[in-house]
Amino acid sequence: MITVGVEEEYFLVDPVTCLPVPLADAVRGAAGLEPIVDAKEVQSELLQAQIEVATPICTDLDEVGGHLLRLRHALGMAAEKNGCRIVATGTAPYRETAPVPVTKDARYLAMRSQAPQLVTEQLVNGMHVHVAVPDRATAVTVLNRIRPWLPVLVAMSANSPLWDGRDTGFASWRTVIFGRWAVSGPPPAFADVEDHDRRVQVLLDSGVISDTGQIYWQARLSDRYPTLEVRCIDVQLRADAAVMFAGIVRAMVATAIRAEETGAPFPHCPPEQLLASNWYAARHGLSDLLMDPEGRCRRAGDVLCLLLDAVTPALEEAGDVREVTSLVHRLLQQGTPADQQRRTLADGGMSALTDLLITETVSP
C-alpha cells in the first residue's frame, strides 16, 4: 500500500472580529502535542498568526481523518484557552493594518528581508499531500504525468475568496498570492531526474532562492521525505474534505506509476496552457467551465468525472473508491468552500462567516 501524509495550515483568529492574532507560540505550547507525541506534529509557520500540523505516515484514509481531527481538536482547545480560535481557510478574510509579526526563525527573517511585502501578505494557508514514491527518478516521471491535473485540484479545493473583507472575484485567491514568488505555480516538465536536479541547482546557484524550500511549485519532490508533495490545494474547511484530497492525490500518483510501468503515452501539456488553466481554476473554482488536461473548456462536473475515471482503478485497489466518490458528489452538490464562504457572508454578514469558519474547522 502506498503511504500518505498530510500537512495543514490554520489561522489563529479573534472569535468576534475574525482578525488574525499572533498567538502561535502560546497555542502550540498549550496544545500538549509536542512533548506527548511527536514534535513534528505541530510546527511554527512564517507568520505568528499561523500554525501548521502534520499527520504521521498513514496507510489508509481512516488514519488520515483520525489524525487530522485529533490535531484540529487539540489546537482548537489550546486556542480557546488563549482567547482565540483556529480556522481552516485559504486566506485571512480580514486583516489588521499593522503586519502580523514574523516568526523569529533565521530562515523566515531572511525571507522578510528578501521580499518584505510578499511576507506581509503571506496570510495564506495550504494543504500539502505527501505520497511515497520508490525513488527520485520515479518521482520526476510522476510529476510530469500529474501536472496537467493540478488545476482541477485547485478548482476543487478553492477556499480563499475573501481578502481585506472583500470578495476578490477569485475562488482561490491564495493561488494568486502564492504565484508571486520567484519559483512558483505549476511545475515544468523534466526530461529525467538529472534534468530536474540540474535545473534546481541553477536556481540555487543564482541566489534568487536560498534553499529548496523556496521552490513553491504546486507539486515538487520533497527533500525531507521520500515523497512527492502536492501543494496546490487550499486548506480545507472540513477535515473530511482533506481526506478526500489525500485519497485523490494518492490515486493520481499510483495511476501515474502504473502508466509509466505500462508505457502509456506521455501527456502533452504546454506551459502556457497549464498556466492559463491554473489561473482559470483559481478564478472560478467549480462555478464555471474548467479546462481539461487536453486544453478544452468543459463543464466542471464533466472534468471531475474525467479525473475520477482516470484514478478509479487506483482508488479501488486502495479501498478508497466509495469514500472518495461520495465526498466528490457532496462537493458537486454543495459547491466548494469558497462558495460556502460567499453564501454565508451574503446571508449573515461577518459574524455568520466567522461562526462558519470556527465551527466547520473542528467539525467531525
Side-chain angles (χ1 to χ4, degrees), residues 90-92 95 117-125 160 162-163 168 170 172-182 184 216 282:
T91 51
R95 292 191 298 158
Q117 190 62 31
L118 295 189
V119 169
T120 294
E121 297 186 5
Q122 198 67 11
L123 281 164
V124 295
N125 290 329
S160 51
L162 306 175
W163 187 252
T168 63
F170 281 75
S172 178
W173 188 240
R174 168 187 168 270
T175 298
V176 177
I177 289 178
F178 236 125
R180 301 181 302 180
W181 288 94
S184 59
Y216 295 132

Side-chain angles (χ1 to χ4, degrees), residues 7-90:
E7 297 168 337
E8 289 190 317
E9 300 158 349
Y10 316 124
F11 289 120
L12 301 171
V13 302
D14 182 281
V16 176
T17 65
C18 206
L19 289 168
V21 292
L23 294 172
D25 289 342
V27 171
R28 288 174 61 222
L33 292 169
E34 291 181 284
I36 295 175
V37 192
D38 182 344
K40 294 179 181 178
E41 281 198 322
V42 58
Q43 305 164 13
S44 61
E45 251 300 328
L46 175 62
L47 299 178
Q48 273 287 299
Q50 295 170 286
I51 201 159
E52 182 179 14
V53 299
T55 71
I57 298 170
C58 301
T59 57
D60 60 60
L61 296 187
D62 286 344
E63 284 184 82
V64 175
H67 285 300
L68 289 179
L69 284 173
R70 173 178 60 82
L71 293 166
R72 287 184 179 214
H73 288 160
L75 287 176
M77 289 188 291
E80 284 195 49
K81 291 177 184 176
N82 284 276
C84 62
R85 302 292 187 273
I86 64 164
V87 294
T89 179

Side-chain angles (χ1 to χ4, degrees), residues 136 140 144 188-202 217:
R136 287 171 54 80
V140 170
N144 287 337
F190 299 99
D192 49 36
V193 67
E194 289 77 19
D195 179 46
H196 171 276
D197 292 349
R198 182 170 55 252
R199 289 159 67 178
V200 167
Q201 192 61 49
V202 168
W217 289 324

Side-chain angles (χ1 to χ4, degrees), residues 341-358:
Q341 288 198 42
R342 285 169 165 154
R343 287 194 300 264
T344 302
L345 185 64
D347 292 342
M350 183 195 75
S351 62
L353 175 67
T354 302
D355 288 344
L356 171 78
L357 297 177
I358 292 171

Side-chain angles (χ1 to χ4, degrees), residues 20-304:
V21 292
L23 294 172
D25 289 342
V27 171
R28 288 174 61 222
L33 292 169
E34 291 181 284
I36 295 175
V37 192
D38 182 344
K40 294 179 181 178
E41 281 198 322
V42 58
Q43 305 164 13
S44 61
E45 251 300 328
L46 175 62
L47 299 178
Q48 273 287 299
Q50 295 170 286
I51 201 159
E52 182 179 14
V53 299
T55 71
I57 298 170
C58 301
T59 57
D60 60 60
L61 296 187
D62 286 344
E63 284 184 82
V64 175
H67 285 300
L68 289 179
L69 284 173
R70 173 178 60 82
L71 293 166
R72 287 184 179 214
H73 288 160
L75 287 176
M77 289 188 291
E80 284 195 49
K81 291 177 184 176
N82 284 276
C84 62
R85 302 292 187 273
I86 64 164
V87 294
T89 179
T91 51
Y94 307 95
R95 292 191 298 158
E96 293 274 21
T97 303
V100 175
V102 174
T103 298
K104 292 186 188 293
D105 173 272
R107 182 172 180 272
Y108 292 150
L109 295 173
M111 289 172 63
R112 184 178 63 182
S113 297
Q114 180 189 40
Q117 190 62 31
L118 295 189
V119 169
T120 294
E121 297 186 5
Q122 198 67 11
L123 281 164
V124 295
N125 290 329
M127 170 190 170
H128 308 156
V129 182
H130 286 262
V131 182
V133 287
D135 50 62
R136 287 171 54 80
T138 301
V140 170
T141 61
V142 169
L143 183 64
N144 287 337
R145 288 184 177 275
I146 69 170
R147 57 193 284 276
W149 288 110
L150 297 178
V152 182
L153 299 181
V154 170
M156 294 172 68
S157 71
N159 186 28
S160 51
L162 306 175
W163 187 252
D164 284 339
R166 296 187 297 273
D167 193 324
T168 63
F170 281 75
S172 178
W173 188 240
R174 168 187 168 270
T175 298
V176 177
I177 289 178
F178 236 125
R180 301 181 302 180
W181 288 94
V183 184
S184 59
F190 299 99
D192 49 36
V193 67
E194 289 77 19
D195 179 46
H196 171 276
D197 292 349
R198 182 170 55 252
R199 289 159 67 178
V200 167
Q201 192 61 49
V202 168
L203 294 170
L204 292 168
D205 291 344
S206 72
V208 173
I209 60 172
S210 56
D211 56 57
T212 55
Q214 288 187 288
I215 294 176
Y216 295 132
W217 289 324
Q218 292 177 329
R220 68 185 185 185
L221 278 64
S222 173
D223 273 351
R224 292 185 296 166
Y225 311 112
T227 63
L228 183 74
E229 179 187 8
V230 173
R231 44 189 294 115
C232 61
I233 303 167
D234 282 1
V235 69
Q236 291 300 285
L237 191 53
R238 291 179 57 93
D240 57 0
V243 171
M244 174 188 72
F245 282 106
I248 289 173
V249 171
R250 176 166 68 173
M252 289 169 61
V253 171
T255 301
I257 291 174
R258 179 62 57 87
E260 189 67 21
E261 291 172 345
T262 59
F266 189 80
H268 176 66
C269 187
E272 68 278 8
Q273 174 186 312
L274 191 54
L275 283 169
S277 180
N278 184 63
W279 187 94
Y280 200 84
R283 170 70 176 85
H284 295 288
L286 299 179
S287 66
D288 200 276
L289 302 176
L290 270 181
M291 288 176 68
D292 68 16
E294 302 296 323
R296 298 167 296 189
C297 280
R298 309 171 60 152
R299 291 188 306 175
D302 292 341
V303 178
L304 264 62

